[in-house]
Amino acid sequence: MSAVTSQPPWPLDWRPGNHTDDLRFAQQLVEETMSPYWQKRRMVFSRQLFREQWVRLETAIIMRNEQRAGLIAWDVEEGIHHLRELHLTAPWRGRGIGGEVLIRWIERQEALGATRMRLKVFAENPARRLYERMGFQPMTNSSDISGLLHMERRS
């Protein structure tokens, strides 16, 4: 008899990020929210690289009032669950939604057996405080030349 593995259900306000214009929405949102950090470092956003990454990630669009309020994307490499993207549109920022989404993502990853979760955040990004409140800690020698801080949460 083979074991049946079931996926935990997605939160009701998440839907797969595979609709026709979700890639364009995600690309524009990521570019909008991250541009100040990239400009500070003279980094350039690669739309081609983003498209290639988007199709290999598990992606969800966060819905509010039947509108796209944001997105979350992740993957698993070598048993480590990586949060790759978490962004909200301007009208939905500062309302606690990012924390809600992150809690749901953590719970879902733990239900899948995750014991280690990682993410990267620019050191001065205010989202860093949210990640720290949720148990993510900077990894030793984790800041690189670009100012990205590697963080990890262990369950």
Side-chain angles (χ1 to χ4, degrees), residues 64-155:
R64 288 291 193 275
N65 300 334
E66 299 182 28
Q67 295 183 346
R68 292 179 292 203
L71 64 94
I72 185 167
W74 65 95
D75 64 359
V76 180
E77 286 183 3
E78 299 178 10
I80 300 171
H81 296 238
H82 294 267
L83 178 62
R84 302 296 184 182
E85 307 288 349
L86 174 53
H87 304 275
L88 296 172
T89 60
W92 297 103
R93 294 180 201 141
R95 296 177 162 198
I97 295 169
E100 274 179 40
V101 170
L102 187 56
I103 287 169
R104 290 176 180 170
W105 181 80
I106 290 168
E107 290 171 348
R108 189 168 192 283
Q109 301 315 298
E110 287 175 341
L112 292 169
T115 58
R116 294 167 63 193
M117 290 167 247
R118 290 186 181 167
L119 57 83
K120 295 177 187 175
V121 62
F122 285 108
E124 74 275 15
N125 187 327
R128 175 183 174 181
R129 291 189 300 275
L130 168 64
Y131 300 139
E132 288 172 339
R133 285 195 311 270
M134 297 297 168
F136 286 87
Q137 297 299 318
M139 297 170 62
T140 306
N141 301 320
S142 66
S143 187
D144 61 25
I145 195 162
S146 69
L148 274 175
L149 185 64
H150 300 238
M151 301 182 80
E152 182 173 72
R153 181 183 197 277
R154 291 182 181 243
S155 299

Side-chain angles (χ1 to χ4, degrees), residues 11-25:
L12 294 177
D13 57 347
W14 293 21
R15 69 160 174 77
N18 57 7
H19 291 193
T20 307
D21 62 345
D22 286 342
L23 172 61
R24 184 173 49 251
F25 167 76

